[in-house]
Amino acid sequence: MLKGREGVRVDIIDRLPTPFGLVRSGVAPDHPETKIVVNQFSRVAANPRCSFFGNVTLGSDLSLSELRKTYDVVVLAYGAESDRSFGIPGEDLRGIHSAREFVWWYNGHPDMCNLAPDLTNTDSAVVLGQGNVALDVARILLRCTTELASTDIADYALDALRSSTIRKVYLVGRRGPVQAACTAKELREILGLKNVNVYIKEADLATSPADKEEMRNSRIKRRVYELLSKAATVHQENNDNDRKELHFVFFRKPTKFLPSEDGSTVGAMELEKTLLKDDGATGKQVAVGTGEFEELKCGIVLKSIGYKSLPIEGLSFDKYRGVVPNLRGRVLSSESETATVEPGLYVVGWLKRGPTGIVATNLHCAEETVDSILEDDRKGLFTDPSGPKRQGRRGLLEILEQKNARYVPFDGWEKIDTKEKADGELKNKPREKITRWNELLEAARE
């Protein structure tokens, strides 16, 4: 926006006192190269035409209607902060967490600092899903903690992983290796972990004509399948006690979470064997149950089956797809064919498209929304000579003052940043994250 139109002023409003969203709370600590993008974001934030308002929650500190009355343009970019669920028996047992909760926990997100997953009551963990987030979670459980010690992983998470008794991680997917949703880069990394034996059943690697067609049409699927095939043929070293195990479990879908002897903690999973069938409508292969069941023992389950966006008051929302109905980023009044465009209201990212894609995908998505805004600006849609002039930043500050909402400006974040880096230096880490709300706000005001 700053590049696209001279004179435009952009205010970034964030629920957290810290900026950078998923780069801070989602990207794995052992992927520091992905986090370099914050340098670019910091340069944008340093622009005098840009301001940051952290610790401000949409829905309680200010409403969408207040924002729309205050600004010419409102862009919603709050992503997907909830989780999809299976809706199967036993899902509320202790020891079952969503991958998002676990990722937020090890990344020091203030909402999850008290999660305290029990990593000492079992030697087996099940990760449901085979996308990049599932691989992240499995890799953190299996990676040597001396390697993690030099990352920005939360202090309490590192301590918990050091005393972890987990030796086996099962990555469970309802379809086959051709349909695994991860990227080759992530897969290559987990297959190359030190002191980890990888187990893949040869029978699971058999491909059908439909599988071969999928691989012909997708270089990523072909590459992922090749990597898994190669890993399956590698001779595993002797099972000495020091080596951990990574098991890829294909063609299985969870049907029930079973309790352990105490009755309240998960002790096993019931899985139904599946096979692939053409769904007839989209030509995609879907997993259907065969009526054959088996049990897999485990003491912790991490569900990585997708994120879900949440609606807010005054916003149309497609509950089924979990997105805001939109036309190239322009928010629509409803999902119906007669829907009209909501003037001055836009959406971007996972809230616009659904929870898929990497940093680059979101970059293209943002460019499309910005193009829509600039096009509407050229048409003069934001200038109503008869209407009141919108207050912008001044109006926002008035609303926050009225509600006694104490926001964290960008220089408040810089104080947090400085403290985290100084604390990290003492431990030979890039930063030691502050993980509690009150401590973050304290550090921002020092």
Side-chain angles (χ1 to χ4, degrees):
M1 278 305 301
L2 293 167
K3 274 184 196 167
R5 192 185 185 288
E6 221 176 301
V8 77
R9 297 177 74 166
V10 179
D11 294 340
I12 301 167
I13 295 167
D14 203 304
R15 181 172 79 83
L16 293 172
T18 53
F20 312 138
L22 276 179
V23 182
R24 182 176 168 96
S25 302
V27 174
D30 56 350
H31 283 178
E33 70 290 346
T34 311
K35 302 185 186 213
I36 291 168
V37 72
V38 302
N39 297 338
Q40 194 177 338
F41 294 157
S42 297
R43 282 196 294 276
V44 173
N47 188 310
R49 293 189 284 136
C50 181
S51 286
F52 175 76
F53 294 84
N55 195 41
V56 176
T57 304
L58 182 60
S60 55
D61 292 322
L62 79 172
S63 67
L64 182 57
S65 65
E66 284 173 322
L67 270 182
R68 293 182 72 184
K69 283 175 196 157
T70 308
Y71 289 91
D72 298 308
V73 172
V74 174
V75 182
L76 298 169
Y78 63 77
E81 283 207 341
S82 186
D83 310 289
R84 287 172 56 195
S85 64
F86 284 107
I88 58 176
E91 205 163 351
D92 54 354
L93 285 167
R94 271 210 325 259
I96 300 172
H97 308 282
S98 73
R100 175 190 62 85
E101 291 170 332
F102 191 70
V103 168
W104 279 13
W105 170 74
Y106 66 60
N107 272 329
H109 190 297
D111 283 355
M112 283 299 147
C113 61
N114 295 321
L115 184 71
D118 188 349
L119 307 181
T120 58
N121 76 333
T122 181
D123 70 345
S124 301
V126 166
V127 180
L128 297 169
Q130 294 176 336
N132 282 349
V133 177
L135 263 58
D136 275 350
V137 160
R139 198 181 64 252
I140 294 296
L141 286 171
L142 292 167
R143 195 184 271 289
C144 166
T145 50
T146 52
E147 291 174 7
L148 288 174
S150 58
T151 71
D152 67 358
I153 191 167
D155 210 16
Y156 56 71
L158 186 61
D159 287 345
L161 288 161
R162 279 187 177 128
S163 54
S164 167
T165 55
I166 292 168
R167 315 300 301 162
K168 302 173 193 169
V169 174
Y170 296 85
L171 275 164
V172 179
R174 58 179 65 204
R175 296 190 292 168
V178 174
Q179 293 79 30
C182 57
T183 56
K185 181 178 177 285
E186 288 270 347
L187 181 59
R188 199 179 296 110
E189 187 180 2
I190 198 164
L191 293 175
L193 283 180
K194 279 196 301 204
N195 294 328
V196 175
N197 287 342
V198 178
Y199 296 91
I200 299 165
K201 287 180 183 159
E202 288 277 357
D204 286 346
L205 293 163
T207 54
S208 67
D211 288 333
K212 289 183 175 117
E213 182 63 21
E214 278 193 48
M215 286 193 278
R216 263 198 298 276
N217 295 330
S218 166
R219 195 175 63 85
I220 294 173
K221 288 189 174 189
R222 191 168 65 246
R223 193 75 197 98
V224 164
Y225 178 78
E226 285 165 1
L227 286 166
L228 289 167
S229 301
K230 192 179 169 190
T233 59
V234 172
H235 177 68
Q236 300 296 353
E237 295 172 41
N238 293 337
N239 270 342
D240 62 60
N241 292 337
D242 203 31
R243 296 186 74 80
K244 293 179 181 176
E245 298 176 12
L246 172 64
H247 296 256
F248 282 86
V249 182
F250 295 104
F251 303 110
R252 299 288 186 277
K253 72 170 183 180
T255 46
K256 205 184 283 181
F257 297 99
L258 303 164
S260 59
E261 285 169 15
D262 70 5
S264 62
T265 308
V266 69
M269 293 225 51
E270 181 187 81
L271 300 171
E272 183 178 9
K273 292 184 183 180
T274 64
L275 50 83
L276 294 182
K277 278 195 176 164
D278 191 314
D279 76 346
T282 62
K284 274 188 177 169
Q285 295 192 86
V286 293
V288 291
T290 61
E292 266 187 90
F293 299 89
E294 63 188 27
E295 280 184 21
L296 179 57
K297 284 196 164 15
C298 57
I300 185 166
V301 176
L302 300 166
K303 302 179 293 180
S304 184
I305 55 166
Y307 293 71
K308 195 169 72 174
S309 294
L310 298 169
I312 52 166
E313 198 182 326
L315 182 67
S316 56
F317 194 75
D318 179 340
K319 284 196 176 75
Y320 177 70
R321 288 174 57 228
V323 295
V324 172
N326 71 90
L327 197 61
R328 292 177 59 81
R330 296 176 179 94
V331 172
L332 297 172
S333 57
S334 70
E335 302 150 62
S336 72
E337 287 176 16
T338 57
T340 53
V341 169
E342 291 277 359
L345 189 59
Y346 301 83
V347 68
V348 72
W350 286 6
L351 192 59
K352 169 183 166 184
R353 301 187 324 276
T356 57
I358 53 175
V359 173
T361 326
N362 286 299
L363 179 67
H364 294 304
C365 173
E367 284 170 350
E368 181 186 70
T369 296
V370 169
D371 286 344
S372 293
I373 296 169
L374 296 176
E375 198 179 300
D376 293 349
D377 182 36
R378 281 193 295 273
K379 289 179 184 166
L381 297 186
F382 310 133
T383 48
D384 178 4
S386 59
K389 192 173 177 337
R390 299 190 194 274
Q391 294 277 299
R393 193 172 299 166
R394 196 167 68 229
L396 175 68
L397 288 167
E398 274 175 26
I399 294 168
L400 296 178
E401 204 173 309
Q402 278 165 15
K403 300 194 180 182
N404 203 20
R406 298 176 71 184
Y407 71 92
V408 172
F410 199 74
D411 64 1
W413 150 247
E414 287 174 327
K415 288 173 188 169
I416 295 170
D417 189 38
T418 303
K419 181 169 172 35
E420 287 185 341
K421 283 176 175 169
D423 291 350
E425 214 171 302
L426 303 173
K427 296 184 178 182
N428 203 23
K429 294 172 71 170
R431 69 173 64 241
E432 185 62 72
K433 282 182 181 169
I434 302 169
T435 59
R436 299 192 178 274
W437 277 100
N438 59 338
E439 289 172 21
L440 282 163
L441 297 175
E442 223 169 89
R445 293 191 182 111
E446 270 175 14

